[in-house]
Amino acid sequence: MDTHAPSHTAHDTGHGAAATVSWSAAAQATLHCLTGCAIGEVLGMVIGTSLGLHDLATVALAIALAFVFGYALTMRGVLRAGVPFRQALGVALAADTLSITVMEIVDNGAMLAIPGAMDAGIGSWVFWTALAAALALAFVITLPVNRWLMSRGRGHAVVHASHH
């Protein structure tokens, strides 16, 4: 098998056997997840920082919005494939929960750990550089998690199965 070509065979393995999932396919799934997370994360950080909320309140808002936008982005595609709303919600929860959780732990942990990032304000290059670095780090750490999930017919393999 070409390990650079996208592979979505994880859901076709039948009896729970692990399937080979390419890094490319895992990266595509991780980028999809990162897109939804980043929309919510950036929005939450901007709102919380602009309102002068405490760091933990800002992080809580960013996490909540990351989950909302992450699930919504997945559901959009699944609904477009003709899957009913309740089933689409189940697919999104199964596909994205672990991935979003890992991303949120990593990127919010990084934002809290980078000196001055949370206090810099949205007009500061420190804030935006830290946020970009935190999201990039989240992608790198979540990529192997998504590959592992997909190889076992979980994570975004569930999304691909719902399209067939």
Side-chain angles (χ1 to χ4, degrees):
M1 170 186 272
D2 177 9
T3 58
H4 298 331
S7 169
H8 303 293
T9 60
H11 61 277
D12 297 329
T13 60
H15 307 299
T20 300
V21 174
S22 71
W23 284 103
S24 175
Q28 205 171 18
T30 306
L31 187 58
H32 181 270
C33 185
L34 180 66
T35 301
C37 285
I39 292 168
E41 183 73 24
V42 170
L43 190 57
M45 287 287 170
V46 167
I47 291 169
T49 302
S50 296
L51 294 176
L53 298 179
H54 185 275
D55 289 354
L56 293 181
T58 298
V59 166
L61 179 60
I63 290 171
L65 291 175
F67 273 95
V68 167
F69 281 95
Y71 289 142
L73 188 61
T74 295
M75 284 186 64
R76 188 184 88 188
V78 175
L79 289 168
R80 217 182 270 156
V83 176
F85 183 84
R86 285 184 79 132
Q87 188 179 345
L89 180 59
V91 168
L93 292 172
D96 292 335
T97 300
L98 184 57
S99 183
I100 294 171
T101 300
V102 172
M103 280 195 179
E104 290 307 297
I105 289 169
V106 173
D107 69 45
N108 284 290
M111 284 298 288
L112 291 168
I114 297 170
M118 296 294 291
D119 298 323
I122 63 170
S124 168
W125 67 270
V126 172
F127 175 83
W128 292 106
T129 302
L131 188 53
L135 290 168
L137 181 62
F139 176 87
V140 169
I141 291 177
T142 307
L143 176 60
V145 172
N146 281 332
R147 185 171 185 245
W148 179 82
L149 285 169
M150 291 171 70
S151 73
R152 282 150 184 78
R154 302 189 190 288
H156 269 260
V158 175
V159 173
H160 298 297
S162 73
H163 285 62
H164 294 34

